[in-house]
Amino acid sequence: MIIDHPLLGPRDAAEFIYLGDAALIDRPDWQDEDAADKFYEYGYLRDNIAGKMQELWYHEQGDRSWLVVTRDTLTHEITDVEMARNVARARGRSK
Amino acid sequence: MSQINRIKGGLIDRSQSLDFTFNGKTMQGHAGDTLASALLANGQVLVGRSFKYHRPRGIFTAGSEEPNALVQLRTGAAQEPNTRATVAELFDGLAATSQNHRGPLGFDMMAVTDLLSPFLSAGFYYKTFMWPKAFWEKLYEPAIRHSAGLGRLSMQEDPDTYDKGFLHCDLLVIGAGPSGLVAALAAARSGARVILADEDFAPGGRLNAETLEVDGMAGADWAAQTVAELASMDNVRLMTRTTIYGAYDHGIYGALERRTDHLPGAGGKPRQILWRIYSKRAVLAAGAIERPIAFGNNDRPGIMLAGAVRTYVNRYGVTPGQRVAVLTNNDDGWRTAADLAAKGVEVRAIIDTRDAPAVCDVPGARHVRGAGVVDTSGRSALKRITLTDGQMIDVDCLAVSGGWNPAVHLTCHQRGRPVWNDDISAFVPGRDLPQGMVVAGAANGQLTLAAALAEGREAANAQVKDLGFTASRKAAPKAEDEAYEGAPKWHIASGKTRAWVDLQNDVTVKDIKQSHQEGFRSVEHLKRYTTTGMATDQGKTSNIPAMAIMAECSGKSIPETGTTIFRPPYTPIPIGALAGRARGTDFRPYRLTPSHEWAKANGATFIEVGNWLRAQWFVKGSEAGWRDSVDREVLNTRQSVGICDVTTLGKIDVQGKDAAEFLNKVYANGFAKLAVGRVRYGIMLREDGICYEDGTTARMGENHFVMTTTTANAVLVFRRMEFARQCLWPDMDVHLISTTDAWAQFAVAGPNARKLLSKIVDDTQDMSNEGFPFMACGEITVCGGTPARLFRISFSGELAYEIAVPARYGNSMIEALVKAGEEFDAAPYGLEALGVMRIEKGHAAGNELDGRITAHNLGMGRMVSSKKDCIGKTLSERPEMNREDAEKMVGFRPVDRSQKLIAGSHFINKGDEANMANDQGWMTSVAYSPSLEHSIGLGFIKSGDTRMGEIVRAVSPVHNIEMEVEIVSAHFIDPEGERLRA
Amino acid sequence: MPDFTLISAPPLAGYDRSFGDIQLIAPTDLAIVSIALPLGGEDAAKKAIKTAFGIALPEVGMSNVAKDKTSSIMRLAVDQAFVLFPSATPDAEPQIAAKLKGAAYTTDQTDGWCALQISGPGARRALERICPVDLHPNAFAVNAVARTVMEHMGAIVARTGEDTFLLLSASSSAKSFLHAVEVSAQNAT
């Protein structure tokens, strides 16, 4: 596969490490009342979609950026690639 | 034997004669021949024996689809089995032998299997060799393996080398036949970067095999002219002898380039190159493959596809026979008769399964309308054919044409399914093509030359326009639309005589009918049950006929019966090419520590740790075994001073205004308040609460930390920290960069460590215990000004330091340390001694951190700070992971001190039966402690921290050994830690 | 005063060999210092770079030669760049830190890498055996930089001239990296 890196252009997927569901960005707050349940869901109940899915890929043999790749898991078609840092900020993560 | 079948014409170079041998017999051919054409020129019709029945077989095709003519090429270690004679380019000195027979090719003792054929029907092996079960391994399998199989391996190391590589292009054109050449030229003229690949050594495809004209010149001449033009263009890479074997995601193609297979020797260069081609677009112009018609005894040497006969006649100047008949169900077969007659070869009959008028006039040939062939005779070569009406014709070659199948293979590699086209009675590419691919020419069902040329141009123009190039306006070259109509005919009823569908796997019409009767209705089941379509040719000539016969059995149409799709590779890829350079010591890269050269010169034995080569121990004097060296290294370190290269530990430079806060998040224990100039031990958790990593981090400045990780986890820790900083806390100002290789780091450990280091460290540094206490760190200089980093940390439990210098000084540094330590008998120690000392000191390592262990298990539960968040914190607090009776890490020693503990033993309370229900825990690490002079171990046991002094049994069912062990503190040496603070 | 002197021995020191139309040389005394741009302090860091080197920080995937030609800067990531310059002494990081006056974080990378310069008309022919990145002149301009993987080893490739490329890879696997490049050059000639 080829991942079209937003800054570096198309790169072979062999340069990347795959992690999984981009929901891993949404780490719960440890001080929430039901933090234990939320972390349980965060850690164990991730989606594994047959179809379009947002995934985390790490450009380990490259610029070391984490990317959010929108990929159809049935066809491997990639429709969007974003810097995960920007996605995380857009989802409200900060410090 | 001379070249009795050589006729005039062809694209061979008659001025160059090449000697070759077949089964030891010397023959001659010419440059431009394949082994197959040269064998035919020499009248060698019988070239091999079939897979199952050991039937005599000849050359069936003129291309990579060949099912029969598999030979062993070359001799000795370079011998290669199962090579298709039809694509093996002739060179001077080529040595080929036939395969799959015992005794001479002409009298194969295994041919007796042919007489047993009534018993060897579809599924024979499945049905016969089932019982008794015990016979399978010892009797059936060896016997079957011996009689089956094709060629033989040399069993020697492959003397050739192979390489890999990466290519990029705007447009990849697959196939250099008429449509491929036009496509490549059109794209190249637009300025696009073009790769044109063809498996043949002579580009041109069918143009080289036919007498058709393009733009008023001979097709082969037009092809040569076009190739010359392409070769002169900078933006074109012309790759002959290159098979595009697979279509992968996003325009990636696999290609095998055969660099030296056509030469007597490789000359030290790679024999083949496996390319990964990144294409923005592709035009598949792979052409079409002719299919046979099944009839009685249709497998005799001399029976050949009609298009292949034309190839031998027109391209190679060889006639496959002197008295030829043609069996066809279509107009195209007639051209074989016409081309043969034009070269003066006697054509005795054209048997057309259609009851239709002659397509063209073929002088001297009888036209038999609406007829077929039902039987043939001739033991090792065709002598006679019998027609449906009973008449017999003496021939030595029968050219068979059952129509053409577009070569749709690569269109299926991304799960695309071909669709049936009634006009040509064949599958054509479906709509779900691999990304960026279009298909042109015969591969797309355009079976005339004019149509193929036009479509090649259109396809390329559309593709380059899509990429933003201006398409060339030049028209496609002119050619005729030759006749190609046909009426499907898959097999001719031949009574009880066997009619072959798959020549390579010896599958007959009867086998297919029988498997249908037995309930194998899916094409995929049929394939597996009969083995049709398997092995080196992957059913290129047999799949569609087999499916057609199955359709007949079920009374359905072919598309209703199913389609079969294709997987890579298109043709076989040698394992050597897939391995590329990754052989022997080049299997993977290796990393050397900065003191590697010194260690090598000083008796080190090395061990691979990940990619690192680390000194395992250093042999000194007369030491006979590894234990001698390791025991000495441990005692020497504990009694005086030892030196160990610990560069392999991961080092991560962490900087930023939020670096301290960031470390608080990734370490379970607190780091924010670590003072500048101090080091702290820390543990890292996975988000599920499991402890996966430990190490030390030094605070070099307010915003600057140097982290050490375990050797094994260096990459993983870095990756997870990048995840934390980019995805979890994106607004933290923190920056990571690896410095693992930048610093040569040495542990200097033992009571004399300070004295030794004081001779190395520049005077400006206060080395006293007060000036540089336990867990201090600092940037210093050594040996008169060389920058260095000093950390007072200890893995061994002794007074110890780790000292780092820029890696370029590493080898010199260990020399200096050893020299400075001479007065203390300082000696290097290796990984084994390091391991012994960490067990003696009770430090957890990889054996303990096995992916199931929590801080609670390690006795470090209180290190997980309750005041702050960190990765893994919340889930580490789950009650089940914090049970009172959880396994705790403790030490063990054998009650009988002479016994040797075994890692992996499980603990069972005294008096209990040794089973899983009574399992108390397990032993993780053991070592012989030269300090204590007995075996010691670390392990996890339920409530271990409260069971000191208790005796339990350590049971190892694997070794059938059990012994009594005493639970003790994991700190076997200096439990109070006085030494390391000294 | 200690009685010992440390001798510098970088892994590929002095390497210089030709393979047909391909030249391989290990540059001597090439110092490398990484620069990390502080979050929120990017503009100040860029300004400091401009002041120190007389050039703007290049875009990611590009490099640029400093105004006085004594160093070059390659931008490897949004917040990371390498400064390369000749320096025989082990004080590369303080040199750059002094120039940037605290506007960026610096780390000495000199000893973490080995460097090989490959040049000549056949350079691309050799590199296509190990480098997955498209190095065609139209796709990889002079001054382009890419961090990628070659023969399982992380590597940086920079086009420093018409047919000249600078390759960087981890210093611990320098011998394996050199071997990979040498075999490529041998195979491609």
Side-chain angles (χ1 to χ4, degrees), chain B residues 909-928:
Chain B
N909 288 340
K910 282 172 84 171
D912 281 355
E913 198 189 330
N915 58 31
M916 280 313 290
N918 292 329
D919 187 36
Q920 293 286 303
W922 63 97
M923 189 98 77
T924 50
S925 302
V926 301
Y928 174 78

Side-chain angles (χ1 to χ4, degrees), chain B residues 55-194:
Chain B
R55 298 261 298 182
R57 289 286 166 81
I59 292 157
F60 190 63
T61 73
S64 63
E65 68 271 31
E66 176 64 28
N68 271 347
L70 302 183
V71 296
Q72 280 181 185
L73 275 195
R74 303 181 194 250
T75 54
Q79 166 186 315
E80 187 171 44
N82 305 336
T83 308
R84 288 148 290 156
T86 47
V87 294
E89 213 172 325
L90 199 66
F91 57 83
D92 202 40
L94 178 148
T97 51
S98 53
Q99 341 184 112
N100 208 32
H101 52 89
R102 270 185 238 166
L105 174 62
F107 183 79
D108 175 9
M109 285 183 285
M110 289 303 287
V112 66
T113 53
D114 196 26
L115 303 175
L116 302 173
S117 64
F119 305 103
L120 294 172
S121 56
F124 168 74
Y125 293 100
Y126 301 130
K127 292 166 186 165
T128 311
F129 295 111
M130 294 291 288
W131 312 102
K133 206 173 169 187
F135 277 26
W136 177 251
E137 212 172 289
K138 292 202 171 71
L139 180 66
Y140 296 149
E141 188 179 335
I144 293 168
R145 284 209 184 280
H146 190 65
S147 61
L150 295 163
R152 300 262 178 260
L153 294 169
S154 72
M155 302 313 284
Q156 296 173 54
E157 192 178 339
D158 187 344
D160 286 311
T161 61
Y162 300 81
D163 209 350
K164 293 189 185 178
F166 306 87
L167 298 175
H168 303 258
C169 62
D170 293 314
L171 186 72
L172 169 66
V173 180
I174 303 160
S179 49
L181 285 172
V182 170
L185 194 59
R189 282 176 177 154
S190 79
R193 281 166 71 191
V194 176

Side-chain angles (χ1 to χ4, degrees), chain B residues 248-289:
Chain B
Y248 301 93
D249 288 303
H250 305 159
I252 298 175
Y253 289 84
L256 180 75
E257 183 180 10
R258 290 168 290 275
R259 281 279 175 124
T260 65
D261 283 5
H262 62 294
L263 303 173
K269 298 294 178 194
R271 179 190 163 207
Q272 299 175 338
I273 303 172
L274 200 72
W275 296 105
R276 178 181 289 215
I277 300 179
Y278 300 92
S279 72
K280 295 197 177 96
R281 295 285 189 279
V283 171
L284 177 67
I289 296 169

Side-chain angles (χ1 to χ4, degrees), chain B residues 326-485:
Chain B
V326 174
L327 170 65
T328 185
N329 66 2
N330 64 79
D331 296 351
D332 189 66
W334 283 76
R335 283 199 295 124
T336 301
D339 287 0
L340 282 163
K343 296 270 181 173
V345 180
E346 182 184 349
V347 182
R348 293 205 158 170
I350 302 163
I351 303 126
D352 195 326
T353 58
R354 303 169 296 177
D355 190 3
V359 174
C360 60
D361 182 38
V362 181
R366 239 192 302 168
H367 174 203
V368 190
R369 288 170 67 139
V373 176
V374 292
D375 201 0
T376 68
S377 62
R379 178 87 197 121
S380 56
L382 181 66
K383 287 201 175 109
R384 179 179 292 170
I385 57 173
T386 306
L387 307 193
T388 32
D389 61 3
Q391 63 170 310
M392 295 185 218
I393 306 173
D394 286 353
V395 292
D396 57 1
C397 174
L398 176 64
V400 181
S401 179
W404 292 79
N405 287 324
V408 301
H409 302 71
L410 270 76
T411 69
C412 301
H413 287 179
Q414 297 292 309
R415 305 291 304 164
R417 289 196 169 266
V419 294
W420 184 255
N421 180 325
D422 261 331
D423 293 343
I424 59 168
S425 298
F427 282 104
V428 296
R431 262 181 295 179
D432 290 333
L433 297 175
Q435 185 182 317
M437 178 194 280
V438 296
V439 192
N444 204 30
Q446 301 294 340
L447 295 182
T448 73
L449 180 54
L453 292 166
E455 197 172 60
R457 175 183 171 275
E458 280 165 32
N461 279 348
Q463 292 282 54
V464 296
K465 249 192 246 171
D466 232 24
L467 295 173
F469 294 92
T470 309
S472 150
R473 289 169 169 271
K474 212 157 168 175
K478 288 189 182 58
E480 273 184 54
D481 274 323
E482 70 276 23
Y484 72 97
E485 263 89 53

Side-chain angles (χ1 to χ4, degrees), chain B residues 801-871:
Chain B
Y801 300 80
E802 287 187 12
I803 186 158
V805 290
R808 72 189 93 162
Y809 300 111
N811 208 53
S812 182
M813 181 68 171
I814 197 163
E815 280 176 13
L817 288 168
V818 169
K819 196 129 201 292
E822 263 172 7
E823 59 179 296
F824 317 109
D825 291 325
Y829 62 93
L831 196 58
E832 286 296 329
L834 183 94
V836 170
M837 287 190 277
R838 75 100 188 159
I839 295 170
E840 287 181 337
K841 189 62 193 167
H843 287 307
N847 287 17
E848 282 71 40
L849 305 181
D850 68 353
R852 298 176 293 174
I853 293 304
T854 63
H856 182 63
N857 296 132
L858 292 167
M860 297 178 181
R862 273 177 298 175
M863 275 180 75
V864 183
S865 170
S866 58
K867 297 189 202 88
K868 66 169 182 86
D869 186 18
C870 75
I871 289 171

